Amino acid sequence: KVPNAVGDYRPITLLPILSKLLERCVFDALSAHCGPVLAPEQHAVGKGKNCSSNLVELVARTQIALDKSDQLDVFYSDI
């Protein structure tokens, strides 16, 4: 049978609350340890930093480079 309705699909996983708490504790510890070392251009883990803030910064830097007729090199990686 091929499901046709969205309601026929289930979520991949529902994490137990203990797993979520452990994940938050590990994230907080790693953030406190690695946060000061990360460059300000890093938008993956900083508070208030996400894909949208990264795109806003890229557009702003591109506009500045265009206004000055400068070269702008951009490198994105997902490790």
Side-chain angles (χ1 to χ4, degrees):
K1 173 184 170 191
V2 177
N4 294 324
V6 175
D8 292 340
Y9 293 97
R10 298 182 305 170
I12 294 172
T13 183
L14 295 174
L15 294 175
I17 190 69
L18 288 177
S19 297
K20 290 180 181 182
L21 288 172
L22 178 62
E23 180 181 342
R24 176 46 90 181
C25 290
V26 170
F27 176 78
D28 290 343
L30 284 175
S31 295
H33 180 72
C34 297
V37 180
L38 294 175
E41 292 82 11
Q42 173 60 264
H43 283 263
V45 290
K47 256 191 176 176
K49 301 255 185 158
N50 53 32
C51 290
S52 298
S53 66
N54 178 266
L55 290 173
V56 168
E57 185 171 334
L58 175 63
V59 169
R61 288 182 182 218
T62 302
Q63 186 63 46
I64 291 168
L66 286 172
D67 289 344
K68 294 180 178 181
S69 297
D70 283 345
Q71 177 178 334
L72 177 67
D73 297 326
V74 179
F75 174 77
Y76 280 89
S77 67
D78 185 12
I79 300 173

